[in-house]
Amino acid sequence: NLTVVNLTDLGDSTVLSDYPTSNDGSSTSLRIDSDSPQHRSYLSFNTSVIPANVSVERAEVCAYVNYLNTETDVNYYWVNGTFSESGITWNNQPCGTTFSTTICPYESVETLSAATPFWQCWSAVDMVNNSLNKGDHVYSVLRAANEGSGVNQLTFHSKENTYDPYLNFAYTLLDTPDP
């Protein structure tokens, strides 16, 4: 039997290179900006509702985009680390200021070009599978594919706004052998 679950965003925040020690966790919008200053948006989800013995069939993180100034590729990464919505800053972000793909492995990319507003989803299967082995939370980050060049800007609703980012996944229970 396939079980489908939607989890709302547990915590989110945008970190800004021009305010390296400030936090933007209570804002109603999350932002990605490829130009200077750079902006990255972090999301977290509580996955404790997923049983331990499952096969993840589908997983995607979705966000409601309310501003996009030009077509852009947005990369989605899962985070090998933790953060708090009220404590994360540019200087202490788990992926580092230069963005380490060792700490934050690449998950997927989507090219955004539609007129806003719209829902956008990114594949998150590896991220959800990884979280099943490490605890009850999933941590992730969105950033512009061409970070450091261009003028790509994107904003989407945070959990403090009307349309929460969410994690949608489908799984099947694996058979367990009798003892």
Side-chain angles (χ1 to χ4, degrees):
N1 280 342
L2 188 67
T3 302
V4 178
V5 178
N6 279 326
L7 299 176
T8 56
D9 181 7
L10 181 65
D12 53 38
S13 187
T14 298
V15 295
L16 303 88
S17 64
D18 55 338
Y19 296 99
T21 60
S22 297
N23 176 277
D24 202 22
S26 62
S27 175
T28 58
S29 292
L30 297 168
R31 184 172 174 181
I32 298 168
D33 195 336
S34 63
D35 202 8
S36 185
Q38 296 170 3
H39 299 76
R40 299 174 186 154
S41 290
Y42 283 80
L43 305 161
S44 67
F45 302 92
N46 182 344
T47 56
S48 64
V49 299
I50 305 173
N53 196 26
V54 301
S55 172
V56 176
E57 306 297 328
R58 181 186 74 246
E60 58 186 7
V61 169
C62 300
Y64 189 75
V65 178
N66 59 337
Y67 175 76
L68 175 65
N69 72 330
T70 187
E71 180 177 296
T72 189
D73 288 343
V74 176
N75 290 350
Y76 184 74
Y77 302 81
W78 52 274
V79 175
N80 277 325
T82 63
F83 64 88
S84 72
E85 180 181 61
S86 62
I88 190 171
T89 67
W90 183 264
N91 283 348
N92 71 10
Q93 62 181 301
C95 299
T97 59
T98 59
F99 204 86
S100 167
T101 55
T102 301
I103 298 169
C104 298
Y106 173 77
E107 180 77 33
S108 66
V109 63
E110 293 294 334
T111 300
L112 283 62
S113 60
T116 54
F118 61 94
W119 280 98
Q120 179 63 51
C121 299
W122 292 265
S123 174
V125 173
D126 290 342
M127 180 186 73
V128 171
N129 279 324
N130 182 62
S131 76
L132 297 177
N133 300 321
K134 293 191 174 181
D136 61 359
H137 287 81
V138 167
Y139 299 95
S140 58
V141 62
L142 292 163
R143 74 187 273 255
N146 64 337
E147 192 174 78
S149 64
V151 290
N152 305 72
Q153 296 176 354
L154 162 77
T155 61
F156 53 96
H157 284 205
S158 74
K159 71 178 186 62
E160 287 81 12
N161 208 322
T162 308
Y163 304 111
D164 294 3
Y166 65 91
L167 170 62
N168 171 273
F169 61 94
Y171 65 87
T172 55
L173 289 173
L174 297 175
D175 292 331
T176 55
D178 292 330

